[in-house]
């Protein structure tokens, strides 16, 4: 792949970039309203067209959940926490659990202690088991991803040892159970299953799978020894590529995020020069998700993450 010219950087983020989460949230509400209208009038052909759009906006909400785990979604800490817990409740992942596991992902990127990418970080796990895990998460992410985080919390020797954090995780799981009991009870009582299926379940299933594919594009198959060497980034110079990055809260600049985890999403494009290869094994960013996806698929026959797969070389992060 030819290297891209990534030397030029914009100045301060435009206010629209900083407002990306609000924009995609409003877009999601508008999409949900349109879906309700389509289902109400039984225009299912329109609902079929709207579901992929709403799914993409749901995916943007999941990335907002990620931003909240870094304390970067809202300037007000309490509102940031409320948003994180709310988004976690409706995606079946405890916000406090995700934050604890994600901190490990950053601190132990690609090593065997990177819980987010188990079992792909463990050379002792057989190939068939890693392929099975990949297929399950890529096509049933709404169920499998919460189980991956639950494993981090419930397994013997869990790295989450703080009693305060563990109590909060349990309380958030209870909250999720209470909220979903109320939601499903209300849906059953009012007999609005078709609205639930079209407006939540179908977009949520697709969004969870999109989240898994994007996560795999970012790291699976990468065995470098530096943040850039273990991360795929996407830097597009087309209008639709920039729109995609905006709608995904600039998550495509993923290598920048791993080098500057405290920078809000709107500021990531300003640091794009840090993606320029500087060490052996590092690669320039891909110009599109399509090309990055092709690179991922080539390695899914033997999914692995981390330099421990490279014989005789220890992680250098």
């Amino acid at each position: 792949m030819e290297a891209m010219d990534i030397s030029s950087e914009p100045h301060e983020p435009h206010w629209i970039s900083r407002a990306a989460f609000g924009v995609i949230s409003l877009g999601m509400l508008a999409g949900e309203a349109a879906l309700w209208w389509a289902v109400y009038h039984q225009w299912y052909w329109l609902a079929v067209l709207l579901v992929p759009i709403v799914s993409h906006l749901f995916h943007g909400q999941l990335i907002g959940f990620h931003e909240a785990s870094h304390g970067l979604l809202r300037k007000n800490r309490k509102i940031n926490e409320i948003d994180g817990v709310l988004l976690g409740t409706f995606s079946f992942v405890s916000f406090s659990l995700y934050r604890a596991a994600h901190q490990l992902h950053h601190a132990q990127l690609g090593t065997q202690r990177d819980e987010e990418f188990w079992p792909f970080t463990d050379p002792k796990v057989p190939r068939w088991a890693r392929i099975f895990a990949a297929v399950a998460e890529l096509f049933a992410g709404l169920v499998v991803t919460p189980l991956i985080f639950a494993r981090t919390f419930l397994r013997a020797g869990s790295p989450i040892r703080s009693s305060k954090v563990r109590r909060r995780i349990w309380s958030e799981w209870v909250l999720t159970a209470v909220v979903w009991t109320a939601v499903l009870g209300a849906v059953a009582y009012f007999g609005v299953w078709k609205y639930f299926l079209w407006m939540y379940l179908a977009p949520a299933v697709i969004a969870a799978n999109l989240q898994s594919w994007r996560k795999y594009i970012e790291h699976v198959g990468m065995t470098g020894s530096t943040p850039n060497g273990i991360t795929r980034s996407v830097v597009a110079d087309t209008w639709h590529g920039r729109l995609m990055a905006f709608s995904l809260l600039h998550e495509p600049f993923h290598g920048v995020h791993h080098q500057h985890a405290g920078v809000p999403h709107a500021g990531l494009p300003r640091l794009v020069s840090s993606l320029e290869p500087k060490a052996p094994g590092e690669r320039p960013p891909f110009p599109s998700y399509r090309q990055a996806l092709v690179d991922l698929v080539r390695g899914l026959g033997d999914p692995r993450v981390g330099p421990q797969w490279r014989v005789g070389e220890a992680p250098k992060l």
Side-chain angles (χ1 to χ4, degrees):
M1 183 183 67
E2 294 183 2
M4 295 179 61
D5 180 7
I6 57 176
S7 59
S8 61
E9 300 176 2
H11 297 294
E12 286 299 311
H14 194 279
W15 70 267
I16 293 179
S17 291
R18 297 196 299 270
F21 183 70
V23 172
I24 64 174
S25 296
L26 289 174
M28 183 192 71
L29 292 175
E32 287 283 73
L35 258 179
W36 176 86
W37 186 259
V39 174
Y40 178 78
H41 289 283
Q42 298 185 26
W43 297 341
Y44 295 116
W45 61 270
L46 179 58
V48 169
L49 296 176
L50 288 170
V51 163
I53 298 172
V54 174
S55 300
H56 179 71
L57 296 169
F58 270 28
H59 183 197
Q61 295 293 308
L62 293 175
I63 300 176
F65 180 64
H66 163 263
E67 283 287 293
S69 76
H70 284 279
L72 300 173
L73 186 61
R74 306 288 192 186
K75 291 183 178 180
N76 183 292
R77 182 176 177 181
K78 289 185 177 179
I79 296 177
N80 188 88
E81 293 290 300
I82 291 171
D83 279 353
V85 171
L86 182 65
L87 290 167
T89 298
F90 285 96
S91 57
F92 304 103
V93 178
S94 157
F95 177 57
S96 297
L97 171 55
Y98 178 83
R99 177 163 50 195
H102 194 64
Q103 287 173 348
L104 281 173
H105 169 61
H106 275 266
Q108 304 293 337
L109 179 61
T111 72
Q112 294 186 59
R113 296 179 65 187
D114 185 346
E115 299 278 335
E116 278 194 45
F117 282 93
W118 180 88
F120 312 117
T121 56
D122 188 353
K124 295 179 182 178
V125 176
R127 178 182 174 187
W128 70 264
R130 287 182 281 112
I131 292 175
F132 178 82
V135 171
E137 189 172 15
L138 290 171
F139 294 100
L142 189 62
V143 174
V144 175
T145 298
L147 291 177
I148 290 172
F149 286 100
R151 171 194 173 272
T152 300
F153 179 65
L154 297 173
R155 72 174 179 81
S158 169
I160 304 173
R161 298 170 184 165
S162 166
S163 57
K164 180 179 179 181
V165 173
R166 293 185 71 87
R167 284 195 301 271
R168 178 163 172 173
I169 291 170
W170 280 114
S171 69
E172 289 173 5
W173 275 351
V174 170
L175 174 65
T176 299
V178 170
V179 168
W180 276 102
T181 298
V183 168
L184 294 177
V187 169
Y189 180 80
F190 291 105
V192 290
W193 287 106
K194 68 177 181 179
Y195 293 98
F196 175 76
L197 293 174
W198 281 101
M199 296 176 64
Y200 174 78
L201 190 59
V205 168
I206 296 172
N209 291 342
L210 290 174
Q211 165 83 359
S212 296
W213 280 97
R214 180 189 49 75
K215 183 178 90 168
Y216 277 48
I217 284 173
E218 289 166 358
H219 294 297
V220 173
M222 304 299 287
T223 58
S225 300
T226 65
N228 273 346
I230 205 168
T231 306
R232 292 185 189 90
S233 297
V234 176
V235 179
D237 58 2
T238 60
W239 69 267
H240 48 83
R242 290 191 291 270
L243 180 60
M244 174 71 78
F246 173 84
S247 65
L248 296 179
L249 303 184
H250 303 98
E251 191 74 358
F253 294 83
H254 202 63
V256 180
H257 171 64
H258 271 286
Q259 296 178 65
H260 307 278
V263 175
H265 69 86
L268 298 181
R270 293 186 298 135
L271 301 169
V272 70
S273 62
S274 63
L275 296 177
E276 187 173 349
K278 299 180 180 67
E282 293 187 353
R283 303 170 66 179
F286 291 82
S288 70
Y289 264 114
R290 179 181 58 80
Q291 294 188 32
L293 175 62
V294 170
D295 192 65
L296 163 69
V297 169
R298 290 188 183 122
L300 284 181
D302 188 10
R304 55 181 70 184
V305 176
Q308 60 272 19
W309 290 95
R310 297 164 63 179
V311 178
E313 183 173 330
K316 298 177 183 178
L317 299 175

